[in-house]
């Protein structure tokens, strides 16, 4: 299992046009973000009604400023009125009846169900600024009045009101009385919603929470921009500059995983402190909310942009290690006689290298080290309940503090090395300062020459990942993040 090749930070994007966002995450996103203005949808529904009642297609010139969303709307009408509109045919050929009919037949054959009777939007999006000639307008009229084009809404987008009006006037001269007033001005989302749209776009495009704090959306005044597209483009430009600045300021790619080794069988409270979009990735907002009254919670609340920067730049995750993997690692790789004796007295036999490898590869820790992102249940093997009881007894009778945690860190380092989960060409260290950041001493460091994955282990007895410890867990994670931010040079020594 190979690790991911690219930094999360440099891979972040902010599409400045919704066409790009649709290509990345799919058209369903539009229903969440850009529901058309009710006045626009009313006109489109009137046009569809005219198609159905008159038995002929309708020509519909539309206009709006660039970046308003007119093309996005025309291309995705079926998402906003699925009972009325079939999927859009995006047309870029010659504007003559024969070519239009040929493209329509292909669309009906390849895209539409055989019994689909909905109106078919046909979007002519390649002729902006070049309105149809009188001959082409005559061809459009002919196409829409033939059987083949009789259920087509032919949309012609324009940015110029004057050109759209001239086009409409010319078509009226050719076609006579029309069923609705043209051209139609398309209204996009209101200015007061643009900042929220930008924040949602950042999240949807990247699957990372709270990225709006990385660019500080409050510094932008939407009313100063001509369109939503211009607003998003400026934020995208600044966003790209910011992330590249952060990447260049980092000597090497450093990643962080905080690893909780406890009696708890699952992810527990960690699920409420991490992203719902990227399994295990820390959620800065949730962390601060969980311990809002604490000193560390208040400090990060005053540095939210830095918090998001730290989480994203370090691709900071949190994972849980359940008793089966913890005991297998302890039994095979710990050098402390107390653990060996305790496990033997409890009837727990030393596990083989193959056993530890099996537990490691299917654990959330192993999957994180391998660059995989989906969660699996760790509560398997030994069996799970027996392992929990054994781990609880070791925690109660021996404990994990007083220097024992350093032995366990080394044991997990050995388990990671021998399992092969990170490959063979890696340098795994324990309690050793990074050569390029001497103030940073991870519990376990996994260096594959392209990046260093820092693992910070914490060992707790009892069902520690229960809701009662949510604030304690959050504070621990926030303190680790602050320590790393300071070591990376993002926080001043006196802060």
């Amino acid at each position: 299992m190979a690790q991911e090749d690219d930094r999360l930070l440099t891979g972040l994007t902010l599409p400045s046009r919704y066409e790009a966002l649709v290509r990345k995450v799919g058209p369903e996103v539009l229903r969440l973000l850009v529901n058309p203005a009710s006045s626009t949808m009313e006109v489109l529904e009137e046009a569809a009604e005219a198609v159905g009642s008159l038995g002929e297609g309708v020509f519909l010139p539309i206009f709006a400023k660039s970046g308003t969303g007119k093309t996005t709307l025309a291309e995705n009408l079926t998402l906003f009125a699925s009972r009325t509109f079939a999927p859009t045919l995006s047309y870029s050929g010659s504007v003559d009846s024969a070519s239009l009919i040929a493209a329509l037949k292909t669309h009906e054959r390849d895209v539409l169900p055989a019994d689909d009777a909905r109106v078919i939007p046909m979007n002519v999006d390649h002729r902006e600024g070049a309105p149809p000639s009188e001959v082409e307008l005559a061809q459009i009229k002919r196409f829409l009045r033939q059987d083949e084009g009789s259920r087509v809404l032919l949309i012609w987008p324009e940015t110029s009101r004057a050109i759209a009006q001239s086009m409409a006037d010319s078509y009226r001269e050719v076609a006579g009385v029309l069923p609705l007033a043209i051209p139609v001005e398309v209204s996009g989302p209101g200015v007061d919603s643009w900042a929220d749209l930008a924040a949602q776009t950042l999240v949807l495009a990247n699957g990372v929470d709270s990225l709006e704090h990385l660019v500080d959306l409050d510094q932008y005044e939407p009313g100063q921009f001509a369109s939503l597209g211009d607003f998003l483009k400026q934020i995208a430009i600044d966003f790209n500059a910011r992330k590249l600045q952060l990447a260049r300021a980092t000597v090497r790619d450093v990643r962080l995983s905080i690893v909780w080794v406890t009696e708890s069988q699952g992810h527990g409270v960690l699920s409420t402190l991490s992203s719902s979009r990227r399994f295990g990735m820390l959620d800065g907002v949730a962390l601060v909310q969980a311990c809002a009254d604490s000193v560390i919670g208040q400090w990060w609340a005053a540095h939210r942009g830095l918090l998001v920067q730290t989480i994203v730049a370090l691709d900071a995750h949190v994972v849980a290690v359940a008793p089966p993997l913890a005991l297998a690692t302890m039994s095979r790789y710990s050098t402390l006689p107390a653990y060996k004796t305790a496990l033997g007295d409890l009837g727990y036999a030393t596990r083989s290298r193959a056993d530890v490898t099996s537990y490691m590869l299917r654990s959330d820790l192993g999957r994180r080290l391998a660059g995989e992102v989906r969660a699996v249940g760790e509560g398997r093997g030994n069996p799970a309940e027996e392992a929990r009881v054994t781990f609880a007894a070791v925690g109660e009778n021996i404990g994990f503090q007083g220097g024992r945690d350093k032995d366990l860190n080394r044991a997990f380092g050995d388990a990671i090395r021998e399992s092969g989960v990170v490959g063979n060409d890696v340098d795994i260290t324990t309690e050793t300062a990074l050569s390029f950041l001497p103030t940073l001493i991870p519990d376990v460091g996994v260096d594959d020459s392209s990046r260093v994955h820092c693992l910070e282990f914490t060992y707790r007895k009892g069902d520690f990942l229960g809701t009662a410890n949510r604030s304690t867990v959050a504070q621990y994670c926030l303190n680790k993040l602050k320590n790393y931010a300071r070591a990376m040079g993002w926080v001043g020594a006196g802060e």
Side-chain angles (χ1 to χ4, degrees), residues 112-436:
L112 305 184
D115 58 349
D116 194 332
R118 293 174 295 176
V119 172
I120 303 173
M122 180 179 284
N123 183 35
V124 183
D125 193 39
H126 69 301
R127 290 280 297 271
E128 187 174 299
S133 65
E134 290 185 7
V135 172
E136 288 176 325
L137 288 172
Q139 288 291 309
I140 289 173
K141 182 191 73 170
R142 180 181 179 187
F143 164 66
L144 295 174
R145 291 184 177 179
Q146 295 185 70
D147 288 342
E148 292 87 344
S150 61
R151 61 188 185 105
V152 168
L153 177 62
L154 198 150
I155 304 170
W156 194 296
E158 258 298 339
T159 55
S160 167
R161 177 190 295 267
I163 292 177
Q165 186 64 60
S166 176
M167 187 193 319
D169 293 342
S170 297
Y171 186 71
R172 193 175 294 107
E173 291 180 7
V174 171
V177 176
L178 301 177
L180 71 162
I182 59 173
V184 171
E185 182 173 10
V186 172
S187 299
V191 173
D192 58 351
S193 70
W194 289 4
D196 288 339
L197 288 174
Q200 293 177 64
T201 301
L202 279 165
V203 170
L204 290 167
N206 300 289
V208 177
D209 297 309
S210 307
L211 283 179
E212 67 273 16
H213 295 298
L214 195 61
V215 290
D216 188 12
L217 293 180
D218 290 339
Q219 69 178 306
Y220 299 93
E221 177 50 57
Q224 296 179 358
F225 296 87
S227 68
L228 173 59
D230 286 351
F231 178 69
L232 289 174
K233 183 171 290 186
Q234 184 60 62
I235 297 173
I237 291 170
D238 296 343
F239 180 71
N240 288 334
R242 177 63 175 150
K243 71 178 187 180
L244 290 175
Q245 178 188 26
L246 292 174
R248 289 166 179 164
T250 304
V251 178
R252 285 190 60 195
D253 183 5
V254 176
R255 297 188 179 180
L256 170 64
S257 291
I258 300 172
V259 185
W260 290 84
V261 184
T262 74
E263 183 185 325
S264 303
Q265 294 284 9
H267 211 52
V269 72
L270 301 183
S271 297
T272 69
L273 302 174
S274 53
S275 173
S276 61
R277 298 175 178 85
R278 288 177 180 255
F279 176 78
M281 187 172 187
L282 287 170
D283 182 339
V285 172
L287 287 169
V288 170
Q289 289 177 343
C291 57
D293 295 332
S294 67
V295 173
I296 189 65
Q298 291 174 2
W299 190 90
W300 276 119
H303 299 80
R304 289 182 183 273
L306 176 62
L307 177 57
V308 175
Q309 169 189 322
T310 302
I311 291 173
V312 171
L314 297 174
D315 193 12
H317 279 57
V318 61
V319 296
V321 167
L325 173 58
L327 291 174
T329 299
M330 188 184 301
S331 71
R332 180 165 182 81
Y333 297 109
S334 172
T335 60
L336 290 181
Y339 285 139
K340 300 285 189 181
T341 300
L343 291 173
D345 291 345
L346 292 166
Y348 188 93
T350 300
R351 293 301 189 259
S352 67
R353 174 179 175 176
D355 289 334
V356 179
T357 297
S358 177
Y359 290 138
M360 179 67 73
L361 292 178
R362 72 189 186 198
S363 71
D364 291 337
L365 172 60
R367 293 172 71 91
R368 166 67 173 156
L369 289 166
E372 299 180 28
V373 295
R374 290 181 298 169
V376 294
E378 281 196 73
R380 300 195 296 251
N382 201 31
E385 179 58 22
E386 181 182 338
R388 186 196 65 76
V389 172
T390 302
F391 185 90
V394 171
E396 189 64 36
N397 298 330
I398 308 298
F400 308 115
Q401 307 308 313
R404 299 183 183 90
D405 55 339
K406 295 185 182 300
D407 174 78
L408 294 175
N409 291 342
R410 185 200 51 73
F412 269 100
D414 290 343
I416 292 167
R417 180 185 296 105
E418 294 202 12
S419 71
V421 69
V422 293
N424 298 318
D425 189 20
V426 294
D427 182 23
I428 299 178
T429 60
T430 304
E431 309 280 351
T432 303
L434 302 184
S435 60
F436 57 94

Side-chain angles (χ1 to χ4, degrees), residues 49-94:
E49 177 63 26
V51 171
S53 62
L54 298 177
E56 63 180 53
V58 168
F59 178 55
L60 188 67
I62 63 175
F63 68 94
K65 295 177 181 178
S66 179
T68 302
K70 58 185 179 301
T71 299
T72 301
L73 173 62
E75 292 286 346
N76 297 280
L77 279 176
T78 189
L79 286 173
F80 305 113
S82 59
R83 293 184 179 181
T84 302
F85 295 107
T88 297
L89 164 57
S90 183
Y91 186 75
S92 59
S94 300

